[in-house]
Amino acid sequence: MKIEKIDHIGIAVKKIEDAFKFYSENFNLKISEPIEVLSQKVRVAFIEIGGVKLELIEPLGGDSPVAKFIKKKGEGLHHICFQVDDIEDALKKLKENEVRLVDQVPRVGATGKRIAFLHPESAFGVLIELKEK
Ligand code: ZN
């Protein structure tokens, strides 16, 4: 398994437009068109900064996992995403190492790439996403 770079940092927000106002007014950053990911009950939009993106994640409805996250912890850092060369190989290696996974097999993420989440219990409290190049 090879981690190539940090692909993005996920930030849970109540409303993408409100959060983006902060980034645009203070840092003059641009944002991608929000995408709805109905399987995850979220809307996401990306802000690119020097090859690394911030992923603003807004819950769609009160039963969205991100709505529960915000209710419990408030808005803020949600996950960090590593870009990997081969996601199948990465998950195999992690299973061998008995790392607890949220996704046993890869699924298709918001941008059409294959992704998988590791459980924060196995990663010192950090929710880690893997994304295939
Ligand atoms: Zn993500």
Side-chain angles (χ1 to χ4, degrees), residues 8 55 79 129:
H8 64 267
E55 177 185 33
H79 67 270
E129 176 183 1

PDB file of all heavy atoms in Angstrom, residues 8 55 79 129, ligand 1:
ATOM      1  N   HIS A   8      -8.002  15.123   0.688  1.00  0.00           N
ATOM      2  CA  HIS A   8      -8.843  16.197   1.210  1.00  0.00           C
ATOM      3  C   HIS A   8      -9.064  16.048   2.708  1.00  0.00           C
ATOM      4  O   HIS A   8      -8.766  15.012   3.295  1.00  0.00           O
ATOM      5  CB  HIS A   8     -10.183  16.279   0.473  1.00  0.00           C
ATOM      6  CG  HIS A   8     -11.060  15.077   0.648  1.00  0.00           C
ATOM      7  ND1 HIS A   8     -11.051  14.018  -0.222  1.00  0.00           N
ATOM      8  CD2 HIS A   8     -11.971  14.752   1.601  1.00  0.00           C
ATOM      9  CE1 HIS A   8     -11.920  13.111   0.179  1.00  0.00           C
ATOM     10  NE2 HIS A   8     -12.502  13.526   1.296  1.00  0.00           N
ATOM     11  N   GLU A  55     -13.312  19.457   1.999  1.00  0.00           N
ATOM     12  CA  GLU A  55     -14.622  18.949   1.593  1.00  0.00           C
ATOM     13  C   GLU A  55     -15.637  19.444   2.616  1.00  0.00           C
ATOM     14  O   GLU A  55     -15.606  19.017   3.776  1.00  0.00           O
ATOM     15  CB  GLU A  55     -14.606  17.404   1.566  1.00  0.00           C
ATOM     16  CG  GLU A  55     -15.945  16.780   1.227  1.00  0.00           C
ATOM     17  CD  GLU A  55     -15.939  15.248   1.322  1.00  0.00           C
ATOM     18  OE1 GLU A  55     -15.230  14.691   2.175  1.00  0.00           O
ATOM     19  OE2 GLU A  55     -16.669  14.624   0.530  1.00  0.00           O
ATOM     20  N   HIS A  79     -13.182  14.262   8.898  1.00  0.00           N
ATOM     21  CA  HIS A  79     -12.293  13.167   8.486  1.00  0.00           C
ATOM     22  C   HIS A  79     -11.142  13.695   7.646  1.00  0.00           C
ATOM     23  O   HIS A  79     -11.153  14.826   7.187  1.00  0.00           O
ATOM     24  CB  HIS A  79     -13.057  12.074   7.725  1.00  0.00           C
ATOM     25  CG  HIS A  79     -13.585  12.505   6.382  1.00  0.00           C
ATOM     26  ND1 HIS A  79     -14.826  13.068   6.220  1.00  0.00           N
ATOM     27  CD2 HIS A  79     -13.043  12.449   5.141  1.00  0.00           C
ATOM     28  CE1 HIS A  79     -15.016  13.330   4.937  1.00  0.00           C
ATOM     29  NE2 HIS A  79     -13.944  12.978   4.256  1.00  0.00           N
ATOM     30  N   GLU A 129     -10.400   8.284   5.668  1.00  0.00           N
ATOM     31  CA  GLU A 129     -10.970   7.822   4.404  1.00  0.00           C
ATOM     32  C   GLU A 129      -9.811   7.487   3.474  1.00  0.00           C
ATOM     33  O   GLU A 129      -8.816   8.222   3.443  1.00  0.00           O
ATOM     34  CB  GLU A 129     -11.832   8.947   3.796  1.00  0.00           C
ATOM     35  CG  GLU A 129     -12.406   8.626   2.423  1.00  0.00           C
ATOM     36  CD  GLU A 129     -13.193   9.805   1.810  1.00  0.00           C
ATOM     37  OE1 GLU A 129     -13.275  10.880   2.429  1.00  0.00           O
ATOM     38  OE2 GLU A 129     -13.731   9.622   0.710  1.00  0.00           O
TER      39      GLU A 129
HETATM   40 ZN    ZN B   1     -14.185  12.728   2.173  1.00  0.00          ZN
END
